[in-house]
């Protein structure tokens, strides 16, 4: 089995996912065109050599429908010989795209793949594509469905994470992201987004708030208490976890991932193909794993996925130099640290989705690119990228510099 090598990674800046956001006028196909054009240009790619463009996109409706991966490749001027596929593994779609591309290269099915993701949350509303899990009462009942915010509050309740705990984590995320931007740590892979006339729309992650404080966050109202009490989702969760008498609703907009627009792309290839194209590899995929936990608590998957990936790589947690875990909610990361014995000083060192936002289909690819850049900046070797996923799934990928 041959190595799947990472040659490059780029991402757009992230704009607020609302009509007043800086990227609202940028169609999702435009965001994807931006990353596809740039990754081809900076690597002098003959795009006819690309076997497939694999993109994650969660809400595949309206402007994000009709296999946006293939349409974006055409729009970006890629060779008509290039195939394209769009996939959905909820919040892990961007990393899943990379893992599927890597697997195809390892198995010698493909030579060159561009993988990544896109999500324009200001133009295509989350869950606007429907789906039986949350919409069909029979399915929701049998699957013990609850919104993810209830799951996050359940994790916090079961593990004793207080409102101050999750708010403190959020403050630190903003501090780290602010420092990363001040020190231009994202400069190697970040792409500003321009409009069709060349005018600048956005050149930095729009959600980062350097002035975030515990006092300010303490004034925010819980986002999920009404869902839990008025609509009965607390009861569903407690039925699954009867040791819980009452769910403490500690999560709100300030300690949960922000809704944003953005896109990312990663260039993967075999060593033979990379040598043929005159490219120098930056890292390789060392291990990957998927797991699934109980679906009501839903967000604990990064723990089991990480353990599985480490076992496949014959590594220990202490062998990892950096960890990027999606900050879907603060309790997700606090639980990961507690269960895995992970060193927080290695985790999300440049901030995370609480500070910069979570463009669903693109986040996994963005995290991998961030990890790779930071490994090189610090002259370190290995990094883990992991995300929680709807339905209880977890995903983890370990990369190693070459």
């Amino acid at each position: 089995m041959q190595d799947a090598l990472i040659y490059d990674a780029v991402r757009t800046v992230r704009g607020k996912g609302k009509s007043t956001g800086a990227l609202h006028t940028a169609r999702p196909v435009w965001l994807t065109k931006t990353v596809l054009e740039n990754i081809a240009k900076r690597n002098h790619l003959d795009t006819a050599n690309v076997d497939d463009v694999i993109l994650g996109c969660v809400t595949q409706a309206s402007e994000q429908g009709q296999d946006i991966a293939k349409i974006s490749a055409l729009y970006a001027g890629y060779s008509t010989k290039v195939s394209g596929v769009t996939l959905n593994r909820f919040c892990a779609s961007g990393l899943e795209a990379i893992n599927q591309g890597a697997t195809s290269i390892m198995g010698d099915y493909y030579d060159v793949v561009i993988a990544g993701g896109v999500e324009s949350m200001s133009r295509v509303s989350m869950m606007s594509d429907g789906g039986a899990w949350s919409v069909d009462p029979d399915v929701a009942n049998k699957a013990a469905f609850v919104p993810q915010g209830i799951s996050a509050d359940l994790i916090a309740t079961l593990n004793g994470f207080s409102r101050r705990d999750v708010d403190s984590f959020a403050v630190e995320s903003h501090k780290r992201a602010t420092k990363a931007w001040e020190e231009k740590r994202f400069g190697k892979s970040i792409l500003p987004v321009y409009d069709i006339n060349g005018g600048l729309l956005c050149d930095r992650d729009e959600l980062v708030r350097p002035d975030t404080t515990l006092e300010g966050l303490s004034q925010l109202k819980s986002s999920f208490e009404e869902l839990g009490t008025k609509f009965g989702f607390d009861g569903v969760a407690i039925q699954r976890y009867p040791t819980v008498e009452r769910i403490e609703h500690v999560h709100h907009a300030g300690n949960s991932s922000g809704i944003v627009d953005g896109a990312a792309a990663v260039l993967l290839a075999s060593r033979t193909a990379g040598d043929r194209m005159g490219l120098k590899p930056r890292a390789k995929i060392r291990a990957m794993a998927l797991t699934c936990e109980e679906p009501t608590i839903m967000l604990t998957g990064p723990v089991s996925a990480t353990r599985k990936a480490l076992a496949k790589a014959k590594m220990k947690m202490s062998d990892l130099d950096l960890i990027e875990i999606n900050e879907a909610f603060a309790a997700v990361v606090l639980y990961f640290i507690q269960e895995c014995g992970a060193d927080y000083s290695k985790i999300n060192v440049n901030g995370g989705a609480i500070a910069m936002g979570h463009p669903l289909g693109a986040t996994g690819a963005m995290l991998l690119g961030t990890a790779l850049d930071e490994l090189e900046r610090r002259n370190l070797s290995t990094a883990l990228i992991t995300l929680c996923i709807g339905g209880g799934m977890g995903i983890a990928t370990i990369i190693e510099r070459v």
Side-chain angles (χ1 to χ4, degrees):
M1 186 172 68
Q2 60 184 343
D3 287 335
L5 299 173
I6 304 167
Y7 286 87
D8 204 6
V10 297
R11 74 163 176 95
T12 66
V13 291
R14 289 176 264 205
K16 292 179 181 177
K18 55 179 66 176
S19 60
T20 55
L23 297 182
H24 176 63
T25 58
R27 295 160 293 149
V29 72
W30 183 264
L31 295 176
T32 314
K33 174 178 180 287
T34 298
V35 294
L36 292 181
E37 280 185 340
N38 274 272
I39 205 163
K41 182 177 180 180
R42 56 195 254 163
N43 292 284
H44 309 288
L45 286 184
D46 177 354
T47 58
N49 292 322
V50 177
D51 293 297
D52 207 4
V53 173
I54 308 174
L55 294 182
C57 182
V58 175
T59 310
Q60 295 179 37
S62 185
E63 294 179 322
Q64 289 179 167
Q66 290 189 333
D67 191 1
I68 192 170
K70 174 58 183 173
I71 305 309
S72 296
L74 290 172
Y75 190 44
Y78 277 40
S79 167
T80 56
K81 296 180 180 179
V82 180
S83 296
V85 63
T86 309
L87 57 83
N88 178 7
R89 197 185 288 281
F90 296 137
C91 297
S93 297
L95 189 58
E96 175 66 19
I98 292 168
N99 287 356
Q100 288 196 18
T103 301
S104 296
I105 290 168
M106 290 173 179
D108 201 24
Y109 295 109
Y110 299 159
D111 297 315
V112 183
V113 171
I114 294 178
V118 62
E119 205 81 32
S120 177
M121 301 181 76
S122 70
R123 297 179 69 93
V124 185
S125 299
M126 186 166 48
M127 298 184 72
S128 60
D129 55 341
W133 186 33
S134 57
V135 174
D136 186 323
D138 182 49
V139 175
N141 180 57
K142 289 181 179 178
F145 168 79
V146 300
Q148 285 195 347
I150 302 295
S151 301
D153 286 340
L154 175 60
I155 291 171
T157 302
L158 285 167
N159 293 278
F161 303 144
S162 68
R163 172 69 181 259
R164 186 178 182 86
D165 291 334
V166 291
D167 282 354
S168 296
F169 182 87
V171 170
E172 182 64 19
S173 182
H174 280 279
K175 285 182 178 178
R176 292 182 178 193
T178 298
K179 184 177 182 181
W181 271 101
E182 288 174 348
E183 296 181 358
K184 298 181 172 56
R185 295 186 186 181
F186 302 124
K188 193 168 188 175
S189 58
I190 206 79
L191 300 176
V193 179
Y194 299 88
D195 64 22
I196 198 166
N197 296 313
L200 180 66
L201 293 176
C202 188
D203 62 357
R204 65 183 292 116
D205 292 328
E206 198 177 7
L207 276 187
V208 181
R209 298 184 301 277
D211 58 350
T212 300
T213 63
L214 268 176
E215 292 71 27
L217 293 182
S218 71
Q219 304 304 309
L220 297 178
K221 182 182 177 181
S222 167
S223 296
F224 307 105
E225 186 168 3
E226 185 175 4
L227 275 175
T229 56
K230 185 176 180 179
F231 294 93
F233 288 116
D234 279 3
V236 176
I238 290 171
Q239 192 171 20
R240 281 291 177 102
Y241 294 86
T243 58
V244 175
E245 294 182 6
R246 178 180 181 274
I247 292 179
E248 300 295 330
H249 292 285
V250 298
H251 288 92
H252 51 75
N255 57 35
S256 308
S257 56
I259 294 173
V260 291
D261 304 332
V266 175
L267 174 59
L268 303 164
S270 66
R271 186 174 295 277
T272 300
D275 289 347
R276 186 170 62 243
M277 295 185 292
L279 300 176
K280 181 180 179 181
R282 298 170 62 186
K284 68 177 181 179
I285 304 291
R286 179 161 173 179
M288 60 188 85
L290 277 170
T291 56
C292 197
E293 302 297 323
E294 194 279 313
T296 300
I297 203 165
M298 197 182 312
L299 308 174
T300 58
V303 172
S304 55
T306 293
R307 288 171 175 162
K308 187 176 180 179
L310 286 170
K312 286 181 174 294
K314 296 180 172 57
M315 296 173 66
K316 304 184 298 293
M317 182 67 65
S318 58
D319 294 328
L320 296 168
D321 295 315
L322 294 174
I323 298 169
E324 286 288 327
I325 175 171
N326 187 35
E327 295 175 357
F329 302 91
V332 172
V333 188
L334 293 177
Y335 178 76
F336 179 88
I337 293 169
Q338 173 183 283
E339 292 299 304
C340 292
D343 182 350
Y344 183 37
S345 68
K346 296 181 178 182
I347 296 174
N348 298 358
V349 295
N350 294 326
I354 288 174
M356 293 178 284
H358 173 24
L360 306 178
T363 303
M366 289 185 172
L367 295 183
L368 185 141
T370 297
L372 177 57
D373 286 350
E374 193 63 15
L375 284 176
E376 292 175 341
R377 193 184 76 85
R378 297 184 181 212
N379 195 27
L380 298 173
S381 178
T382 59
L384 168 82
I385 301 92
T386 183
L387 299 91
C388 57
I389 314 171
M393 293 180 285
I395 192 170
T397 301
I398 297 173
I399 64 173
E400 181 178 10
R401 288 178 62 202
V402 295

